[in-house]
């Protein structure tokens, strides 16, 4: 057998990889009317492990409110009660992270952020 010289290159061992999901829609800076329903969608780059979930963070920049929810699906329907009621357009920023259910404060992977604008409803008295 050949004698090792010490300058050999090690053969990499395949390891499972999972990259951050890729945001799909809505497009950055999309505008939604007051009566529109908003579905946030992303493309997963792998299969979630049994203890992993998606954490969706949506910030109403206009009102200064942050909403956080979780799902195992590659989409999220934004609840209507997150919509403003002051007859103004609200700007929102959103992103998705893959987290472990056991340690939700430490994201494993996080997407870039996108924004959208959602017209408010007018509160009736």
């Amino acid at each position: 057998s050949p004698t090792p010289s010490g300058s050999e290159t090690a053969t990499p061992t395949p390891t499972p990889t999972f990259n951050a999901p890729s945001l799909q829609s809505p497009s950055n800076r999309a505008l939604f009317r007051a009566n529109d329903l908003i579905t946030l969608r992303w493309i997963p780059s792998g299969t979630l492990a049994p203890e992993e979930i998606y954490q969706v963070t949506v910030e109403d920049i206009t009102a200064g409110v942050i909403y956080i929810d979780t799902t195992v699906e590659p989409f999220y329907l934004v609840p209507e009660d997150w919509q403003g009621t002051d007859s103004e357009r609200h700007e929102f920023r959103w992103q998705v992270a893959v987290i472990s259910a056991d340690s939700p404060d430490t994201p494993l992977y996080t997407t870039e952020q996108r924004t959208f604008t959602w017209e408010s409803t007018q509160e009736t008295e």
Side-chain angles (χ1 to χ4, degrees), residues 27 30 41 55 61 72 91-93 95 120:
S27 60
R41 296 182 188 278
Q55 181 181 66
I61 299 167
V72 294
E91 184 176 358
F92 291 82
R93 179 174 31 231
Q95 70 179 24
S120 296

Side-chain angles (χ1 to χ4, degrees), residues 42-97:
W42 54 93
I43 300 170
S45 63
T47 303
L48 293 174
E51 72 282 353
E52 292 176 342
I53 54 178
Y54 294 111
Q55 181 181 66
V56 180
T57 303
V58 179
E59 178 184 2
D60 181 341
I61 299 167
T62 306
V65 179
I66 297 174
Y67 303 98
I68 298 174
D69 204 355
T70 58
T71 182
V72 294
E73 301 296 335
F75 62 89
Y76 185 79
L77 183 61
V78 178
E80 290 180 41
D81 61 347
W82 293 6
Q83 184 176 21
T85 57
D86 56 6
S87 301
E88 300 293 325
R89 287 184 173 181
H90 283 239
E91 184 176 358
F92 291 82
R93 179 174 31 231
W94 68 285
Q95 70 179 24
V96 176

